[in-house]
Amino acid sequence: MNPLKPVNRPRFRHASPGAPGANSPARRHVLRAALASACVLPIGRAARATTRTVRVLTAYPDEVLSAFEAGFERAHPGLHVQWIWRMPHDALPYLSEPGQHGVDVYWSASPRTYAALANRGALRRLTIDDAGLPERIGATLLADPAGYFRATEIAGYGWAYDAAALGKLGLAVPRDWPDLAAPGWAGRIALPIPARVGFAPVMVDLPLQAWGWERGWALWSEIAGNARLLDRGATFITDEVGEGRAALGLTIDFFAASAVARGAGIAFGYPQHNGVNPGSIAITAGATDVAAAEAFVRYVLSADGQALLTTPTIRKLPVRPAAYAAQPAAGFNPFAAAAAGGLDYDNDAGRPRLGLIAALFQQWLVLDHAELTALWRRVHDAEAAGRDVTAARAALSAVPLPADAARDPALQRAFEQIEGGAAGGPAAVADGWRNAARVSRSQAAAALEAAGA
Amino acid sequence: MLAFAPTPSTVHAQARAATPDDELRATVQRGRALFRQNWVIAPSDDRASGLGPLYNRISCVACHAGGGRGRPPERADQRLRAMLIRLSVPGRDAHGGPRPHPRYGDQLNEEGVPGVAGEGRASIDWRTLQRRLPDGTTVELRRPRITLTEPGYGAFGPVLMSPRIGSPLFGLGLLDAVPEAELLRLAAAPRDDGVRGRVNRVWSVAEGRTVVGRFGWKANAPDLRQQIAAAMSGDLGISSTLFLTQNCTPAQAACRAAPITALPELGDADLDDLMRYLARLGAPPRRDADAPEVARGELRFVAAGCAACHRPALPMDAGVFAARLGVPPPVVPDCAGVIAPYTDLLLHDLGDGLADHRPDYRAGGRDWRTTPLWGLGMADALDPPARYLHDGRARTMEEAILWHDGEARAARRRYEALGVSGRAELLAFLRSL
């Protein structure tokens, strides 16, 4: 079926002469006035072709939805987008039910949900022209090898910061993750809790892949010791920075960019070791109007759709490299960054362990955070005073789960978590990590005492 | 590697919510999150569950981008998006308000959750007309023609319609705290040019009685809390203790049978957070207020008679603000207790050109509440292109002025007679608001 050809329905007659009370004096009076008005049409003037609806399940914010709705409907008169909004963890069961609630398209930044849906047979293979759309960026696949979904936008990780606050504190803008472990950042970093904030587990995994399990976790322990933790909820990382409660906040680029577009006086920086989080699109297995669904997918991936992503209030990174040609030379081009080796994070390799990472972070670095921060301050103070606190540093840096054990697929599956969903996993295992962390902190405290710190 | 650096701050309502008080900040941030929340169809374990069954948009911000105004579609094949159509039939409801359409209720909900048909579509096309000013300048105006199509629940029949774009959200808490006695005083005060403002008398759900109306294009809502709750119910299908039932008419069986997570879907604490967030949004500070052209424009604004209704000063009771809204007022520039909303919050007959011929409590078909003008100059910056007047027909501030008639005819004619430079100065003043 041609998606551009509207389905004709019988004409609607505006008035119903046989309706009850049609001849009452009050009604006649108002009708006379109304019919004289510009706001009401006489009988039979209302003929219009019926629109066809594409139901799109998504978790994007209104800035994205409004722009794409307007653009798509302008490009395809007769087709209408209806947004069905659900967070990724809620989308997975919704799209796994029979009939899929009439949803035609799934469009969201949730790689784990797409992988799960494809495995469950809930998606239909895409058959769209992908000319000009790369298969990967850096180490991240942009197209599902099996053809069930394809990235429509990407987002990079990094930090929002208040340049003026950094200047007053004598802190340079960080260039890479290890810079955030410096003592000067103590209490100045806003850090989203990975088990609670959907984008954060991949962010945690970036240094783990870049520096390895032990060194990466040691970095996170020290960064967490410098940080204030932020839960999912009303406040934003960009609020914390923009309103002066933190000098720097770990976040995704578009959050910072949209805050800047709304007037926040902040900037954003990308680390040298980075990766991207792809937002993808797929057509559901039960799509009732495949042609219309494909029209929507094609629009999102088109030059016009990709250009919408660069709107200041949206500012997501297009997956069509040609879209960067129109951007300012100083703008961030992830394809150029990837070519320079800056986007080497492998999403596919990281995905199975993200839930495990978030749970481990929770037990080790979140639940007893006050104690952790106090100990790291003592370590930093002692090191500044020239004392040898190597043992304390080592104890605080020791990850409670060895790398080999973390590679266990069964353990990874036990802690599987969809973006934004509830954390799971065996309590006994999680308690074990927490207890091990307690022991390490006790050892660190004892070592500090012994060193006179 | 740096990606982007700060741009000069735009004046955005959100930024005005910043506050050093932790508790206040928390309630404002919760309210902002609710304002931006995309609502989820029930059943769901999401906290923001309960969209519909019939609705217009899935979030508040969809009709008030950046805290600003909505806009109409430019073409007949485009949907309403940041606009809605009020519906009624002749007569009054039990409280003197508009009598809802028996099948479609009091508002056209274009969308329905899966399994529930949307109520239909409103298609708007435009007819243009030329207005020739005394100095020979010609201005093109346009007026909407609305057609209801694709009825989901049978013929609409004779129906009264009133198109409304989303209103700007500046300073709503401050307007809530303008003493009722002041509105009554203004209504009774004699004015030149045949101007005579009237208060609307509307039903307060919370108080169970008729009170003075002050919010909405026809001043048909008594206070900020009810205005928000009504919009949540009418636009999103979200129930609250003020509007506890789902927005389904008896003819809409699938709507009435749709799953419900809980009633109310928006709890009192959430409604309070939303109200307090909006209450704390002040008006953008003026820009270029000291520029000579702007200063001359302000004098012309007053001399033309615009300020008779678009009043530059109203008293605001900070104690009432805090008592009614549960938070202190946002910082008020100029002298304490006096705000500059450029409205009298009263109804005025603006003539046939703007009339919707749909009574709304005591507001007649030609009556409209004086629109607050604060923040007007930011409209294009917040969500371009800005559209003005209740149905967004005016593409420029000048077009909006030229639609004024009825009680505003004399003021409009003075504006038309100003000449090119005088009109430019007056418009420069409006852009500074």
Side-chain angles (χ1 to χ4, degrees):
Chain A
M1 182 183 288
N2 179 357
L4 305 182
K5 184 178 178 183
V7 176
N8 290 317
R9 295 265 171 89
R11 286 187 168 202
F12 162 58
R13 293 180 68 82
H14 183 73
S16 176
N23 295 318
S24 73
R27 186 171 193 146
R28 284 198 302 271
H29 171 76
V30 175
L31 265 179
R32 274 197 301 274
L35 289 170
S37 146
C39 296
V40 179
L41 280 182
I43 295 171
R45 297 288 298 277
R48 288 286 190 280
T50 300
T51 48
R52 287 160 56 194
T53 296
V54 187
R55 284 207 179 114
V56 180
L57 182 64
T58 185
Y60 282 119
D62 178 72
E63 287 82 358
V64 175
L65 306 188
S66 290
F68 277 87
E69 179 183 8
F72 175 67
E73 293 182 8
R74 192 163 49 242
H76 295 285
L79 293 184
H80 163 57
V81 182
Q82 183 182 21
W83 304 115
I84 309 290
W85 204 88
R86 262 177 151 77
M87 289 289 284
H89 69 280
D90 208 9
L92 181 58
Y94 196 72
L95 291 178
S96 300
E97 292 175 13
Q100 299 182 299
H101 297 275
V103 170
D104 300 298
V105 173
Y106 181 48
W107 187 36
S108 197
S110 174
R112 284 174 272 177
T113 307
Y114 282 95
L117 287 170
N119 285 337
R120 295 180 188 188
L123 304 179
R124 168 190 293 266
R125 276 203 172 85
L126 295 172
T127 56
I128 55 165
D129 178 9
D130 56 4
L133 295 167
E135 295 296 304
R136 65 170 57 239
I137 179 169
T140 298
L141 283 174
L142 296 177
D144 172 33
Y148 287 105
F149 52 92
R150 174 175 268 288
T152 62
E153 52 90 6
I154 50 181
Y157 298 85
W159 29 79
Y161 61 90
D162 178 342
L166 263 53
K168 287 179 189 167
L169 294 167
L171 293 167
V173 177
R175 293 173 56 81
D176 213 349
W177 300 100
D179 295 346
L180 299 174
W185 289 101
R188 308 295 182 187
I189 299 172
L191 193 161
I193 295 174
R196 299 279 298 160
V197 179
F199 72 82
V202 172
M203 184 183 75
V204 173
D205 202 27
L206 291 168
L208 302 186
Q209 275 196 15
W211 281 277
W213 185 261
E214 285 80 11
R215 173 66 186 130
W217 274 115
L219 264 180
W220 276 118
S221 175
E222 199 161 4
I223 293 170
N226 280 342
R228 298 171 56 240
L229 302 177
L230 288 186
D231 201 349
R232 176 172 61 202
T235 191
F236 302 148
I237 293 284
T238 47
D239 288 342
E240 298 302 300
V241 179
E243 296 173 13
R245 293 183 292 281
L248 176 146
L250 305 183
T251 186
I252 285 190
D253 50 12
F254 65 82
F255 284 133
S258 59
V260 169
R262 291 196 299 269
I266 58 175
F268 185 84
Y270 290 102
Q272 290 174 330
H273 289 82
N274 208 347
V276 294
N277 190 51
S280 295
I281 198 161
I283 297 177
T284 60
T288 55
D289 192 340
V290 175
E294 287 179 338
F296 183 78
V297 173
R298 277 197 302 273
Y299 177 77
V300 174
L301 290 166
S302 70
D304 287 349
Q306 293 286 292
L308 283 181
L309 294 170
T310 63
T311 305
T313 52
I314 297 175
R315 210 284 188 175
K316 290 175 180 287
L317 300 170
V319 292
R320 188 177 281 281
Y324 295 92
Q327 296 300 300
F332 179 65
N333 181 338
F335 291 96
L343 296 179
D344 284 345
Y345 178 73
D346 185 339
N347 286 74
D348 289 332
R351 189 170 303 122
R353 69 181 190 181
L354 293 178
L356 176 69
I357 286 170
L360 179 57
F361 197 106
Q362 186 76 8
Q363 298 300 322
W364 179 26
L365 305 176
V366 172
L367 292 180
D368 301 297
H369 184 251
E371 199 178 330
L372 180 79
T373 55
L375 287 166
W376 272 115
R377 290 210 185 189
R378 287 175 65 188
V379 168
H380 290 156
D381 290 347
E383 289 174 340
R387 292 193 174 89
D388 180 3
V389 288
T390 307
R393 173 174 279 282
L396 291 178
S397 302
V399 57
L401 178 68
D404 285 349
R407 280 192 284 270
D408 177 4
L411 188 67
Q412 292 177 350
R413 278 196 300 275
F415 284 93
E416 190 175 26
Q417 181 188 16
I418 293 292
E419 289 92 336
V429 176
D431 290 346
W433 297 336
R434 190 175 185 188
N435 288 334
R438 281 197 187 106
V439 171
S440 293
R441 286 196 302 275
S442 296
Q443 291 170 345
L448 286 165
E449 292 292 333
Chain B
M1 48 187 159
L2 296 184
F4 50 85
T7 55
S9 283
T10 57
V11 178
H12 181 260
Q14 185 180 19
R16 306 204 33 99
T19 164
D21 180 294
D22 283 347
E23 189 176 339
L24 180 54
R25 185 175 66 245
T27 189
V28 165
Q29 288 182 340
R30 287 194 301 270
R32 181 187 60 181
L34 285 164
F35 180 75
R36 295 182 53 77
Q37 176 70 50
N38 287 312
W39 284 76
V40 174
I41 295 164
S44 165
D45 61 359
D46 198 304
R47 181 169 165 271
S49 170
L51 178 72
L54 291 164
Y55 61 98
N56 292 90
R57 304 297 287 172
I58 67 172
S59 68
C60 303
V61 71
C63 290
H64 306 277
R69 60 189 58 231
R71 70 171 66 85
E74 296 296 313
R75 298 190 327 226
D77 60 5
Q78 293 175 327
R79 298 179 81 89
L80 295 183
R81 290 197 276 271
M83 181 181 198
L84 59 83
I85 307 290
R86 292 247 180 269
L87 302 176
S88 60
V89 294
R92 296 185 183 278
D93 72 3
H95 304 301
R99 185 177 166 201
H101 189 288
R103 290 198 190 95
Y104 290 93
D106 63 2
Q107 178 172 322
L108 182 73
N109 292 129
E110 291 189 298
E111 304 282 7
V113 301
V116 177
E119 290 186 323
R121 281 200 57 208
S123 173
I124 297 183
D125 55 10
W126 301 95
R127 292 181 169 181
T128 58
L129 56 150
Q130 305 294 321
R131 176 72 60 81
R132 188 174 174 83
L133 306 186
D135 63 1
T137 302
T138 300
V139 180
E140 182 189 89
L141 305 179
R142 65 175 188 173
R143 67 193 312 167
R145 188 183 68 153
I146 301 173
T147 309
L148 298 181
T149 66
E150 303 178 33
Y153 299 90
F156 287 97
V159 57
L160 304 176
M161 295 188 284
S162 185
R164 318 272 175 94
I165 63 171
S167 299
L169 303 179
F170 309 126
L172 298 182
L174 299 171
L175 296 178
D176 198 80
V178 173
E180 182 176 311
E182 175 66 8
L183 302 186
L184 297 173
R185 188 190 70 78
L186 287 173
R191 301 189 220 183
D192 296 335
D193 297 333
V195 173
R196 54 179 204 92
R198 297 169 301 286
V199 294
N200 204 349
R201 296 278 182 181
V202 304
W203 184 253
S204 165
V205 178
E207 296 184 37
R209 66 186 181 96
T210 298
V211 301
V212 168
R214 66 179 72 203
F215 290 106
W217 289 103
K218 294 218 176 207
N220 62 353
D223 53 48
L224 181 54
R225 199 164 194 271
Q226 183 167 324
Q227 170 74 8
I228 295 167
M232 292 297 293
S233 172
D235 304 352
L236 285 85
I238 303 295
S239 58
S240 63
T241 52
L242 291 182
F243 297 93
L244 197 53
T245 57
Q246 295 292 76
N247 55 347
C248 313
T249 67
Q252 296 168 335
C255 179
R256 287 185 287 114
I260 298 171
T261 300
L263 283 178
E265 292 149 335
L266 182 75
D268 278 344
D270 286 344
L271 178 56
D272 284 342
D273 286 337
L274 198 45
M275 177 185 71
R276 288 166 183 158
Y277 164 63
L278 293 173
R280 290 282 301 175
L281 297 180
R286 287 186 61 187
R287 285 87 46 217
D288 304 321
D290 297 329
E293 184 186 29
V294 170
R296 289 195 297 273
E298 185 168 9
L299 293 175
R300 293 191 184 282
F301 179 83
V302 174
C306 309
C309 303
H310 293 286
R311 296 183 67 84
L314 280 181
M316 186 277 299
D317 189 324
V320 168
F321 187 110
R324 285 167 64 98
L325 304 170
V327 289
V331 173
V332 179
D334 304 329
C335 47
V338 176
I339 57 175
Y342 293 89
T343 178
D344 59 6
L345 295 175
L346 299 179
L347 297 171
H348 296 273
D349 177 348
L350 291 189
D352 270 333
L354 288 174
D356 63 0
H357 300 286
R358 179 180 179 273
D360 200 335
Y361 291 99
R362 292 190 182 182
R366 294 158 52 109
D367 292 339
W368 298 96
R369 185 196 69 161
T370 306
T371 299
L373 299 184
W374 53 9
L376 187 69
M378 290 303 299
D380 250 330
L382 286 173
D383 188 26
R387 296 290 183 254
Y388 306 94
L389 298 174
H390 66 279
D391 53 15
R393 70 177 66 188
R395 294 159 292 189
T396 63
M397 294 179 196
E398 178 163 76
E399 286 184 38
I401 294 169
L402 296 179
W403 276 108
H404 281 59
D405 200 13
E407 294 175 40
R409 178 179 296 175
R412 187 201 77 223
R413 285 183 169 167
R414 291 189 195 103
Y415 169 82
E416 292 172 341
L418 282 176
V420 173
S421 62
R423 292 197 296 270
E425 288 168 354
L426 194 150
L427 294 171
F429 163 67
L430 294 180
R431 285 193 298 273
S432 78
L433 296 178

